[in-house]
Amino acid sequence: MKRLSVITVNLNNARGLRKTLQSVITQSWSDREIIVIDGGSSDESLAVIEEFRSHLSFVHSGKDAGVYDAQNKGIALASGEYCLFLNSGDYLASPDVLSAVFSRRRDEDILYGNMIIDYGNGKTRLGRMPRRITLEQMIGDTLWHPVSFIRRTLFEKYGKYDLSFRVVADYHFFLRVLLVEQVSYYHTGVTVSVFDTSGMSSQGKYRAQQLEERRRAQELYFKPEVIDRALHRYRRKFLLNRVLRRIGLN
């Protein structure tokens, strides 16, 4: 069994797919398999897949019910101990990322790191994940999937992504396993990936649906008053940090 299954979902993003796959095959650490789930692309994506075919363990191309349906198909094909969802356009930050994450034997259910956010206009910033994941953190943000190595057996135990959440199924999964089931996790401190902000979760047209689905996920597990208190704490901390940044203290 491989240590890691890298699952890449793609639809009509040949350029991004090439960048993603290139970042994986050039890693100095190779105890991994690569799975590509293509949604029936009509651009040059299939040619890119053929270009990298010798490096790929599994390829599936065909219509799906959205990105999380595609990721579920990837999970079903995966055999690695951990899964990393690195969708087309996102890429590993350096050739030694996987070596840095897996150089020490860790047994936590979820390993995660930091992420460079690329705004596509020459501007980037480093997003740092906290060492401790709390409801306050999950109310204001999430655990970013391109930096999260998820033990595959969690999907067997708790189920794959719930397709009733069209745009935040990964958020719902993390909310449940981290805060309700309290699986083990570890922040590696490694800058894992570069995130392409042109993806679905970053598009403004999905913002209202994202907020509605996040609230629905939260209310599955927490009372409204608990959610509101966590939201209030998050907003206070956010405003404080913004003030500190303006005066150069953060």
Side-chain angles (χ1 to χ4, degrees), residues 179-223:
L179 299 186
V180 180
E181 306 297 344
Q182 298 185 346
V183 304
S184 60
Y185 61 87
Y186 176 73
H187 180 244
T188 67
V190 176
T191 299
V192 174
S193 65
V194 181
F195 177 65
D196 178 7
T197 59
S198 65
M200 178 180 70
S201 62
S202 303
Q203 295 179 19
K205 65 181 180 179
Y206 293 107
R207 182 59 175 166
Q209 185 176 1
Q210 183 186 62
L211 292 174
E212 183 276 326
E213 288 190 5
R214 282 171 65 103
R215 183 74 184 201
R216 176 160 61 90
Q218 294 157 11
E219 290 182 346
L220 284 175
Y221 306 111
F222 302 97
K223 294 180 179 180

Side-chain angles (χ1 to χ4, degrees), residues 100-155:
V101 171
F102 291 104
S103 59
R104 293 184 178 181
R105 186 76 188 184
R106 305 293 314 189
D107 293 320
E108 288 83 2
D109 292 312
I110 297 177
L111 308 173
Y112 66 96
N114 302 321
M115 181 172 74
I116 297 171
I117 302 170
D118 185 352
Y119 295 98
N121 55 4
K123 181 181 178 182
T124 63
R125 74 173 178 88
L126 177 61
R128 298 181 184 274
M129 291 300 302
R131 291 182 178 276
R132 185 164 172 261
I133 304 296
T134 63
L135 179 57
E136 181 180 319
Q137 154 70 18
M138 293 297 289
I139 290 291
D141 200 352
T142 187
L143 185 58
W144 304 324
H145 71 80
V147 305
S148 301
F149 302 83
I150 307 167
R151 191 178 293 278
R152 182 172 51 84
T153 54
L154 293 184
F155 294 110

Side-chain angles (χ1 to χ4, degrees), residues 163-176:
L163 300 188
S164 71
F165 294 95
R166 295 285 296 170
V167 297
V168 301
D170 56 338
Y171 175 85
H172 166 257
F173 177 83
F174 285 135
L175 191 74
R176 178 186 176 189

